[in-house]
Amino acid sequence: MLFDVYGDTAVFQWVGWVIVFVGLILINEFARRTKAGGIVCFLVIPAILTIYFIAISVSAAAGAQWALDNPTYTDMNSWFHYAKLYAATIGCIGFMALKYRWGKIGKSHWFKAFPFVIVAINILIAVVSDFESAVRAFGTTWVSTEGVTLYGGWHNVFNGIAGILNIFCMTGWWGIYVSKKKQDMLWPDMTWVFIIAYDLWNFCYTYNCLPTHSWYCGLALLLAPTVANALWNKGGWIQNRAYTLAIWCMFCQVVPMFANDSIFAVNSVNNPSINLVVSIIALLANIAALAYIAYRAKKLGVNPYTHEVFTGTRDFVKAMSRREDAGNDTVA
């Protein structure tokens, strides 16, 4: 078993998971369907929270007890959580600039590479965190600034490598489009090949380095954008992922008690042997994905980063049919 989900609180833990999963999907729909929804979620709320975070930090430095006892200060003070929150939020703003064509930057061709750059940065943040555990406590444990016990070892190294490979699994960097209703920024070449490799890698990261949050951010948070992409928002996975990630990070930064100390809290078994197995699976999945991308690129005779390599596949064609200037594409 990967998680400690049993006993008297099991029902609440499953209910909590469903609440997070459904809640993320619903808020994502609110944010993507209207310009106002996106502005509220990724400009207004982050601005308010930034003032709140600064107030906590300044007050804690001054010795104010309310700040020193604040859960945001005690439970969410690591560099990783703030880096992830703001990197994800910047991604959301950039994606809105592209789909609404805000200003010169939103209309420019070169800015179509922004999704690749910001996703690569987000992946590297987690890769650095994985390697941090390996360096700090290879073969043993260390306690983070948030009081979480973490194991360091080969599982961190393998998954860190998987994350680096995952960056190279992003293809068709310039193939960014806008959906017909301008609800979505589409990246059609980001098909199930990348999504599965990413989900396995990211789940493993949360399992290695966020054992108190992995039940939610390693399962519910990853499945929410994947399900949306599979059922009704084909080609919009990366936007779904950025939106749900930013929403979850904001929630956890303010209400960490939900995942840490409440009746809904769930811990992974935090066993280095299990971590190693999960990491090997993630690494093999990313090796396989990269090999398949190389095969597709060679078959089509294209550079997989400057050109799209999944042209003609079912998911690619469905995503392209949603773009605002869609023609008569057919499945090859």
Side-chain angles (χ1 to χ4, degrees):
M1 184 176 288
L2 295 173
F3 296 96
D4 293 327
V5 185
Y6 54 84
D8 296 338
T9 61
V11 172
F12 294 97
Q13 292 166 333
W14 279 104
V15 168
W17 191 94
V18 172
I19 289 172
V20 170
F21 176 72
V22 174
L24 287 171
I25 287 178
L26 293 177
I27 298 174
N28 178 54
E29 291 301 305
F30 168 72
R32 65 174 276 263
R33 289 179 180 272
T34 67
K35 188 181 294 185
I39 290 173
V40 168
C41 287
F42 307 119
L43 287 170
V44 176
I45 294 177
I48 295 172
L49 289 181
T50 298
I51 295 171
Y52 175 64
F53 298 150
I54 292 173
I56 291 173
S57 296
V58 172
S59 298
Q65 199 60 45
W66 75 267
L68 293 172
D69 295 337
N70 190 293
T72 296
Y73 182 78
T74 59
D75 292 12
M76 301 294 286
N77 57 41
S78 72
W79 68 268
F80 171 82
H81 286 116
Y82 281 103
K84 203 68 174 175
L85 187 159
Y86 285 102
T89 303
I90 289 169
C92 296
I93 296 168
F95 295 171
M96 287 195 295
L98 283 164
K99 75 173 180 175
Y100 296 127
R101 295 192 173 91
W102 284 342
K104 290 183 179 180
I105 195 170
K107 299 181 182 71
S108 62
H109 177 71
W110 66 266
F111 195 63
K112 288 184 177 182
F114 171 79
F116 164 76
V117 173
I118 196 65
V119 176
I121 289 172
N122 270 274
I123 292 172
L124 286 173
I125 289 170
V127 167
V128 170
S129 181
D130 242 327
F131 286 149
E132 179 185 26
S133 280
V135 171
R136 281 179 175 268
F138 199 94
T140 183
T141 64
W142 67 288
V143 179
S144 73
T145 58
E146 296 162 350
V148 179
T149 299
L150 301 171
Y151 286 91
W154 282 112
H155 53 281
N156 299 114
V157 176
F158 290 157
N159 200 56
I161 295 171
I164 293 170
L165 294 179
N166 193 246
I167 292 173
F168 291 96
C169 291
M170 288 188 283
T171 58
W173 299 350
W174 306 102
I176 304 298
Y177 306 90
V178 179
S179 66
K180 293 175 183 178
K181 295 182 180 180
K182 289 186 170 57
Q183 292 182 341
D184 302 300
M185 183 202 77
L186 305 175
W187 190 344
D189 220 41
M190 190 169 271
T191 65
W192 64 269
V193 176
F194 174 81
I195 294 170
I196 291 176
Y198 176 95
D199 281 356
L200 288 172
W201 160 75
N202 195 262
F203 170 76
C204 185
Y205 168 73
T206 67
Y207 202 74
N208 286 345
C209 300
L210 302 172
T212 58
H213 285 203
S214 186
W215 175 247
Y216 294 109
C217 68
L219 289 178
L221 176 58
L222 283 172
L223 283 175
T226 300
V227 168
N229 179 82
L231 298 183
W232 66 84
N233 192 7
K234 189 68 70 177
W237 178 85
I238 191 59
Q239 179 187 271
N240 298 337
R241 169 59 178 166
Y243 281 17
T244 53
L245 177 60
I247 291 162
W248 172 254
C249 287
M250 285 185 271
F251 172 76
C252 275
Q253 205 68 17
V254 177
V255 194
M257 305 82 72
F258 175 84
N260 289 352
D261 305 313
S262 74
I263 198 169
F264 301 107
V266 177
N267 291 322
S268 77
V269 296
N270 209 14
N271 184 311
S273 297
I274 297 177
N275 289 21
L276 182 61
V277 171
V278 174
S279 297
I280 290 173
I281 292 172
L283 178 57
L284 292 176
N286 277 275
I287 291 172
L290 193 57
Y292 183 60
I293 288 166
Y295 162 76
R296 291 279 309 179
K298 184 176 181 181
K299 179 181 178 181
L300 297 175
V302 299
N303 182 317
Y305 306 115
T306 58
H307 294 78
E308 293 153 331
V309 299
F310 291 101
T311 304
T313 61
R314 185 172 298 276
D315 281 1
F316 182 91
V317 171
K318 286 183 177 180
M320 289 293 278
S321 70
R322 298 184 61 219
R323 74 189 194 276
E324 59 185 355
D325 58 346
N328 297 315
D329 299 307
T330 57
V331 179

